[in-house]
Amino acid sequence: MSDILHRVGIKASPSDTYAALSTISGLAGWWTTETRGDSQRGGVIQFRFGARGGFDMKVLELEPGKRVLWQVVAGPEEWIGTKVSFDLRQEGPYTLVLFKHQGWKEPIEFMHHCSTKWAMFLMSLKSLLETKQGAPFPDDVNISGIGD
Amino acid sequence: MSDILHRVGIKASPSDTYAALSTISGLAGWWTTETRGDSQRGGVIQFRFGARGGFDMKVLELEPGKRVLWQVVAGPEEWIGTKVSFDLRQEGPYTLVLFKHQGWKEPIEFMHHCSTKWAMFLMSLKSLLETKQGAPFPDDVNISGIGD
């Protein structure tokens, strides 16, 4: 099993950061504008990226201001069953976001791509909260030149 | 053991990309301007980041246009003994760079930070090659607000 790990620090409160991770409008502001579904515990959120496809995430845990945990229930085969979590911690004027995408069976090349892509989306989350302007799909940063 | 994985695609030739990974001036253009030492096989390269400290990397493998492998011989305790590799592959007008920083003993919080930071530096490498302007230290992207 392999995990993708990241950490960013955001000049925003834990509650504002949590809102960007636990509401459809918040998520649409930094990951993909094509975000729909039910973001409450037990609900399923659909994230779509145009022709690239997308993911359905079941919301397993929600702790206001502290933690969000999803499990992938539909999407690329390598993602199914993996879990994505965001743990928040205040440090001075910053909220530190510890990110994990865990449960990859093999460290395949697609995992390398997703790791870099997650970093860019977490910077988009940071930008959304600090400047009110994220970079969600379809305005996401192209990291590879080949598709996305 | 845990690894940090990334992939970027760069609109540049494998040989130009390799030069940016295997020469002191190339490395100074995207990782840190404070890069010194011997970048030949068996040599040790010193990467410094002002008050943040830095790393010494021993060059273990060099395959022109294909691969660079370093081992950390000095720096933060968690980095000592870990290995950093860049594998290059041409795909149309792009060079895909598969990056690994492997051998972390534990997935500590510092590893989360380093993973995101590596993503930003790889985007700096991409930018250097595509626009002649990287973002090496001290002009690197601040990802956390707390130090770097």
Side-chain angles (χ1 to χ4, degrees):
Chain A
M1 290 287 193
S2 296
D3 302 340
I4 293 170
L5 310 175
H6 286 297
R7 190 186 79 176
V8 293
I10 302 176
K11 200 163 190 173
S13 67
S15 68
D16 285 350
T17 306
Y18 177 78
L21 296 168
S22 60
T23 64
I24 299 299
S25 63
L27 293 162
W30 65 269
W31 197 16
T32 170
T33 55
E34 297 176 17
T35 300
R36 276 176 280 276
D38 174 5
S39 65
Q40 293 183 290
R41 189 192 305 265
V44 173
I45 312 174
Q46 289 91 38
F47 298 98
R48 294 292 178 272
F49 300 81
R52 287 186 225 158
F55 321 102
D56 288 0
M57 303 281 195
K58 182 166 185 182
V59 181
L60 297 189
E61 293 179 29
L62 286 177
E63 269 188 75
K66 291 210 172 153
R67 178 171 163 85
V68 172
L69 172 68
W70 302 324
Q71 185 161 35
V72 182
V73 293
E77 192 191 334
E78 301 90 340
W79 278 53
I80 307 278
T82 61
K83 291 180 179 174
V84 173
S85 63
F86 304 85
D87 285 284
L88 313 183
R89 184 178 88 235
Q90 190 162 14
E91 198 154 314
Y94 291 92
T95 296
L96 293 183
V97 179
L98 263 76
F99 170 89
K100 282 189 197 180
H101 182 177
Q102 50 192 317
W104 289 75
K105 288 190 189 104
E106 300 287 340
I108 53 173
E109 184 165 334
F110 181 46
M111 185 178 169
H112 293 65
H113 169 80
C114 293
S115 176
T116 313
K117 200 76 195 175
W118 271 124
M120 303 317 290
F121 281 121
L122 289 165
M123 292 302 287
S124 167
L125 169 68
K126 177 176 167 69
S127 177
L128 173 68
L129 286 157
E130 294 181 350
T131 72
K132 297 190 192 302
Q133 183 67 55
F137 172 88
D139 297 317
D140 51 323
V141 177
N142 187 313
I143 62 169
S144 70
I146 50 168
D148 58 348
Chain B
M1 288 289 191
S2 295
D3 302 340
I4 293 170
L5 308 175
H6 287 297
R7 190 186 79 175
V8 295
I10 302 177
K11 200 163 190 174
S13 67
S15 68
D16 285 349
T17 305
Y18 177 78
L21 296 169
S22 61
T23 63
I24 300 297
S25 63
L27 292 161
W30 64 270
W31 198 16
T32 170
T33 56
E34 297 177 17
T35 300
R36 275 176 280 276
D38 175 5
S39 66
Q40 293 184 290
R41 188 193 306 264
V44 173
I45 313 175
Q46 288 91 37
F47 298 98
R48 294 294 178 272
F49 300 80
R52 287 186 225 157
F55 320 102
D56 288 1
M57 304 281 197
K58 182 167 183 179
V59 181
L60 297 189
E61 292 179 29
L62 285 178
E63 270 188 76
K66 291 211 170 150
R67 177 171 163 84
V68 171
L69 173 67
W70 300 325
Q71 184 160 33
V72 182
V73 293
E77 193 191 333
E78 301 90 341
W79 278 52
I80 307 278
T82 61
K83 290 180 181 175
V84 173
S85 62
F86 304 84
D87 285 284
L88 313 183
R89 185 178 87 233
Q90 190 161 16
E91 198 153 313
Y94 292 92
T95 295
L96 293 182
V97 179
L98 264 75
F99 169 89
K100 281 190 198 177
H101 182 177
Q102 50 191 320
W104 288 76
K105 289 192 189 102
E106 301 287 340
I108 53 173
E109 184 165 334
F110 182 46
M111 185 178 168
H112 293 64
H113 168 80
C114 294
S115 176
T116 313
K117 201 74 195 178
W118 272 124
M120 304 315 291
F121 281 121
L122 290 165
M123 292 303 286
S124 168
L125 169 68
K126 177 175 167 68
S127 177
L128 173 69
L129 286 158
E130 294 180 350
T131 72
K132 298 190 191 300
Q133 183 67 55
F137 171 87
D139 297 317
D140 50 324
V141 178
N142 188 314
I143 63 169
S144 70
I146 51 167
D148 57 349

